[in-house]
Amino acid sequence: MRVLVIGSGGREHALVWKIAQSPLVEAVLAAPGSAGMRRDAQCFPSVSGENSADVLDLCHKQKVDLVVIGPEQPLVAGLADALREAGIAVFGPSASAAQLEGSKRFAKEFMVRHRIPTAQFEAFSDLAKARAYVEKLGGPCVVKADGLAAGKGVAVCDGAPQALAALEEIMGARRFGVAGDQVVIEELLVGQEVSYYAITDGERMVTLAAAQDHKRVYDGDRGENTGGMGAYSPTPALSAASEKRVIEEIVRPTIAGMAQDGNPFVGVLFVGLMIAPDGAPRVIEYNVRFGDPETQPLMVRMRGDLVPLLDGAARGKLDPAQALDWDDTSVCVVLASRGYPRSASKGDRIEGLKEAAATSAGVVIFHSGTKQDETGAFVTNGGRVLAVTACGATVGEAQKRAYAAVSCIHFDGMHYRRDIANRAMVS
Ligand code: AMP
Ligand code: GLY
């Protein structure tokens, strides 16, 4: 089978790495891909997921059997629809189903309609009305840009002054452009945050595993929200009993609800959850693709072949009996460039990649934002630069291995969190 992965980040590198190990796969292709992926995939840097005609052309020329779409933007823009119309098997939802992530309002209204537990909310497209609502609430709340904002369009606010400032930034100054023309203002949930993944063909499903990421930029969950500074899997925050509730109260009703609405969801459903102290799960957000950086530890932990699941889902023939096995634990530490998440310094030379990869057998270094300069050396090329991932028999062991590898790597302006997965060890 010839498999094309769309995207260029650390998540796509991890998918390419995993897919390339499948005995069913003759070739892995990536568009645009990245220099860091070249060992596992043939890359087509001039083809981007934003241009469906180019992707279609590549599929025909390269006789692609299956397309796996990594990022949310091309899904929301309808790349999966364009490929399906041309008769190509594709892992990823239609534009219509991708609204679960592409519009927070759509997601909230869907959950209310299907009685899926989530925070109370109101949606606004008028700044004055949104301000009045925040003032009426008076206390803590969460302000969210409706559309896609690379994980940064959410402000968790202690009180009205902070929420008003967030509204000003999103709707007034339009920091996220049209994505902030509508906002959702919702109740602040408390508990432990967990990500949960299930693959579905629109009807049947195979659950994967839970992971936890670290969204704030600094240690101790301080600073701004980012796309994710690190992750680990599994997580003690999700007990077996809570996992059962997540499946029965959230995952199954979501898949069934989408099908019932005439909008079947094909691909990976990634639910961002808050697990209350009593174990009750509620949805914080839906994502319609694999998480970044959660995919990196998930792929490193996953035993067995992912490809039959991706292909089965894409063709509407997912075999629910085909559950996967998992290694004990894995931890991923993201190395970011100077200025991230507000900006990203580019072109800084990265040292120590080989030494880092050689620190222990369970270490895999995924490239999130790198490129090769004219001498062939890797340099930074984005906010999140590398995702250093390691397996272990315990979280402590995986964490130690990941940080031992990190200690070999250096680039100007490099910053990272030093407490990834600490949470898994205290609870
Ligand atoms: P989202 O992009 O919706 O996942 O939000 C980003 C982050 O904001 C989440 O990972 C949570 O940490 C936080 N967050 C979002 N909504 C809520 C909520 N209703 N209550 C508490 N925290 C939230
Ligand atoms: N790490 C969170 C996300 O991929 O949205």
Side-chain angles (χ1 to χ4, degrees), residues 104 108 119-120 141-142 144 151-156 186-190 193 213 215-216 225-226 272 274 283-287:
K104 298 211 186 270
K108 297 299 285 192
Q120 298 286 332
C141 67
V142 182
K144 303 185 172 185
K152 297 166 204 157
V154 173
V156 177
E186 64 181 44
E187 167 199 5
L188 182 78
L189 299 175
V190 289
E193 260 188 88
D213 83 348
K215 290 209 168 117
R216 303 293 192 98
N225 263 326
T226 68
M274 189 72 87
V283 177
I284 295 177
E285 62 161 357
Y286 286 114
N287 294 300

Side-chain angles (χ1 to χ4, degrees), residues 213 215 227 270 287 289 291-294:
D213 83 348
K215 290 209 168 117
F270 156 6
N287 294 300
R289 34 84 196 170
D292 191 341
E294 295 95 318

Side-chain angles (χ1 to χ4, degrees), residues 157-176:
C157 307
D158 297 334
Q162 226 186 327
L164 291 172
L167 283 177
E168 202 45 55
E169 191 175 20
I170 297 171
M171 292 185 109
R174 303 185 83 236
R175 176 174 169 204
F176 306 107

Side-chain angles (χ1 to χ4, degrees), residues 43 49 76 89 92 192 269 295 421:
C43 296
V76 170
Q192 289 255 29
L269 182 69
T295 304

Side-chain angles (χ1 to χ4, degrees), residues 344-356:
S345 137
K346 292 187 178 171
D348 299 306
R349 194 173 170 134
I350 304 167
E351 314 280 356
L353 285 170
K354 272 205 189 103
E355 294 78 358

